[in-house]
Amino acid sequence: AEPTPSPIETAEEAALEEPTGSVTLEQAVTLALSKHPELKAVSREMDALDARARQAGLLPNPELEVETENFGGQGEFQDFDSAETTIQLSQRVELAGKRSKRKGLALLERNLGEWDYAMKRAAVQAQVTQAFVATLAAQERTALKKEAVSLAERVLNAVTERFKAGKVSSLEETRAGVAYSRSLIELERAKHRLEAARSRLAAAWGSRDPLFKDLSGSLNPIHPLPSLNDLARHISRNPELARWTTEMKQKEAAVKLEMARRVPDVTVGGGWRRIKESEDDAYVMSLSVPLPLFDQNQGNVQEARQRLVKAEEEKKLTELRLSSELAAAYQILSTASFEAQTLKEKVLPGAQRTFDATTEGYRLGKFDYLLMLDAHRTLFEVRDQYIEALASYH
């Protein structure tokens, strides 16, 4: 099967502008596919392969030869009195179907260019998706850190009020102040990481400075995983593997072309000759055939055959590598899915209940500040871990 990549750049895609509001994953991918520099470079290569295919199908040019003999000598050969002039048109005739084989090879190379575009397009889509997920995770972490700052500020105010009322020591107020300051530092760090992630995402569509406001999406949906065997059955659709069908045809076509080149081409010609001495005209014909005594293109044939054998081995290696990469990616996915589900269903509810209970207990004077602080820290660490698991899953 031949690839059917999307058009290099449609008028609608070309008109896409830098987003300034909320950006969805679909918008980010569409923008990157239309603006990514590597995709544009591959499209130019495809144009070059088109030109090569056109050139490969052209006939050899005929040759016009004008020859004048017997002039500029001595005696009767002075000047042009005895000159003979021959005008001849010759044409090289390619045998063994060389032109059609050469054109077929060039078209297969053009098809390989389409597969290269499909591979690069898939790679860009994966890169943009990963950058989008990383930015969305950084955005949610920043929101989480803001929530932590707000909570730490409320706790600090509450502890300060209790200290003024003489219910707690100044040490607890100091600890609450330190916790609040640390939360501010972590928030600032999260903001810097978010800006870095935003810049990497915007770079995917060729922007130096991100103008979009935020990302629209959620990391929460987790779907049931298909089995590894189900996914493995679709691995042949991977462009990196699917291209080998065309690659093998291209190598076979190269062997056939080199075999055809063992047959020498002939050059036929015909023309007119003017014999000055007798003022007579005559016709001439010529036939030129190289004798393949030494060079029978044997080296090029052997080279093409070896490259075909090499391609067969490389195809096997590609199949093994992609299967290995799929298995490794599936294990990462399974681990992230299990971790996210466990955190959501078991760990997060427990951490939230502990936090609520210790906060209420501290308010009633049943627990000390350190216990509440530990519950606070644990809750936000678990929530941050949950975001990390979701990002890894997606």
Side-chain angles (χ1 to χ4, degrees), residues 65-74 76-88 272-277 284:
E65 181 180 355
V66 178
E67 182 178 294
T68 301
E69 299 177 332
N70 304 329
F71 72 94
Q74 297 177 351
E76 61 178 321
F77 296 111
Q78 287 184 347
D79 300 325
F80 287 87
D81 294 339
S82 299
E84 293 185 359
T85 301
T86 304
I87 300 176
Q88 181 170 309
W272 167 86
R273 173 175 293 174
R274 177 68 172 176
I275 302 174
K276 186 71 173 178
E277 181 179 356
V284 295

Side-chain angles (χ1 to χ4, degrees), residues 5-10 13 33-51 110 113-118 120-121:
S6 299
I8 302 300
E9 184 176 8
T10 64
E13 289 175 332
L33 290 178
S34 65
K35 303 292 186 181
H36 201 281
E38 286 190 63
L39 285 177
K40 291 188 175 183
V42 174
S43 72
R44 300 290 79 80
E45 176 63 20
M46 290 173 63
D47 291 340
L49 291 174
D50 276 333
R110 170 61 169 76
E114 291 181 349
W115 279 120
D116 290 339
Y117 179 79
K120 180 57 64 177
R121 184 182 176 89

Side-chain angles (χ1 to χ4, degrees), residues 145-188:
K145 298 302 180 183
K146 289 180 179 178
E147 186 179 343
V149 168
S150 178
L151 180 59
E153 185 178 17
R154 291 200 305 270
V155 170
L156 175 59
N157 293 335
V159 172
T160 299
E161 291 296 325
R162 288 172 63 84
F163 169 70
K164 291 180 179 179
K167 296 181 180 180
V168 297
S169 67
S170 61
L171 182 59
E172 287 196 10
E173 184 186 28
T174 301
R175 287 172 174 170
V178 170
Y180 174 67
S181 297
R182 289 186 60 186
S183 67
L184 288 175
I185 294 173
E186 291 178 359
L187 173 60
E188 194 64 25

Side-chain angles (χ1 to χ4, degrees), residues 191-295:
K191 288 181 178 179
H192 286 300
R193 289 174 178 170
L194 175 58
E195 285 306 311
R198 283 165 53 86
S199 296
R200 285 191 292 270
L201 177 59
W205 55 73
S207 175
R208 296 179 181 271
D209 300 308
L211 300 179
F212 62 90
K213 180 182 178 183
D214 55 23
L215 299 185
S216 176
S218 174
L219 294 174
N220 281 310
I222 297 180
H223 306 288
L225 298 183
S227 69
L228 179 58
N229 289 335
D230 288 339
L231 292 176
R233 281 197 290 268
H234 298 289
I235 199 170
S236 60
R237 296 168 55 187
N238 185 306
E240 191 173 353
L241 185 57
R243 77 184 299 276
W244 280 101
T245 300
T246 305
E247 180 84 21
M248 299 304 296
K249 290 180 181 178
Q250 187 263 346
K251 299 301 181 187
E252 292 170 357
V255 172
K256 293 178 180 178
L257 176 60
E258 296 302 337
M259 290 289 292
R261 285 173 174 166
R262 300 180 65 174
V263 179
D265 298 333
V266 299
T267 302
V268 296
W272 167 86
R273 173 175 293 174
R274 177 68 172 176
I275 302 174
K276 186 71 173 178
E277 181 179 356
S278 61
E279 297 294 332
D280 291 329
D281 295 331
Y283 295 101
V284 295
M285 294 185 63
S286 65
L287 176 65
S288 174
V289 183
L291 300 179
L293 299 179
F294 308 109
D295 181 3

